[in-house]
Amino acid sequence: MPRILVDADSCPISEDIIAIAHKRGLPARFYSRQPHPRLEGRQGIELIACGEDFDETDDTLVDDIHPQDIVITADIRLARRALDAGSIALGYRGPWTADNIGQALAHAKLGALMREKGLPVEHTRKARSKSKLDLGKFRHDLNTSIDRTLETNS
């Protein structure tokens, strides 16, 4: 059975993920450096404490991935590792795939290099707030990912 694995430290939509996990009868695991009191004791939800380091959280999550799992993260590097482990990787703006992850990683590396050198970095996308349109698309993408995983494993 597929599981939903969530990089929870910066997850703005945990309630939506929990609702879909419950509706679809799937377990969800939230990996985090910090406590999430709102999530504690919820049926079907497991909280995984991962220490203080962001890399430790990512490493713990990746070590737990099974190929049929769905990993939800805004972290491009973690999404790459999830894809490499054979899982589905889903960001808040859509699925990560072999076709789009390379360009996103290259863009992130270039931005980091430019900041390191003190050069101005022009952002091509503005950060978006959580909106009904964003949530609707995310819900659709998550349900589509679940359907794909269930079809593959049946």
Side-chain angles (χ1 to χ4, degrees):
M1 169 186 292
R3 301 170 303 163
I4 300 172
L5 309 182
V6 183
D7 178 12
D9 281 324
S10 61
C11 181
I13 53 177
S14 56
E15 294 298 328
D16 298 279
I17 295 167
I18 291 168
I20 291 171
H22 279 248
K23 182 178 180 182
R24 301 298 298 265
L26 298 177
R29 301 182 93 183
F30 287 77
Y31 298 79
S32 178
R33 295 179 304 114
Q34 54 198 341
H36 287 274
R38 292 184 345 242
L39 303 179
E40 290 177 10
R42 304 278 293 269
Q43 184 179 0
I45 304 305
E46 187 176 355
L47 300 176
I48 311 296
C50 300
E52 295 298 318
D53 186 350
F54 281 110
D55 290 335
E56 189 175 345
T57 302
D58 293 355
D59 293 343
T60 302
L61 192 154
V62 169
D63 288 345
D64 197 25
I65 292 175
H66 300 157
Q68 72 274 17
D69 290 336
I70 299 165
V71 175
I72 299 174
T73 183
D75 182 333
I76 301 165
R77 288 165 196 81
L78 177 56
R80 165 85 274 162
R81 293 175 69 189
L83 290 172
D84 289 345
S87 72
I88 291 174
L90 183 60
Y92 307 130
R93 296 179 181 185
W96 292 108
T97 66
D99 295 332
N100 67 14
I101 196 83
Q103 182 177 1
L105 282 167
H107 190 265
K109 286 180 184 178
L110 178 60
L113 179 62
M114 291 176 70
R115 281 186 292 280
E116 182 181 296
K117 300 289 182 189
L119 299 171
V121 178
E122 182 179 323
H123 295 282
T124 57
R125 290 193 317 204
K126 291 182 181 178
R128 295 187 295 182
S129 64
K130 185 170 100 170
S131 72
K132 290 185 180 184
L133 177 62
D134 293 333
L135 284 176
K137 180 178 179 344
F138 175 80
R139 288 179 189 129
H140 172 78
D141 290 341
L142 179 53
N143 277 300
T144 300
S145 297
I146 292 168
D147 291 340
R148 212 172 90 209
T149 301
L150 292 173
E151 288 171 9
T152 302
N153 293 300
S154 60

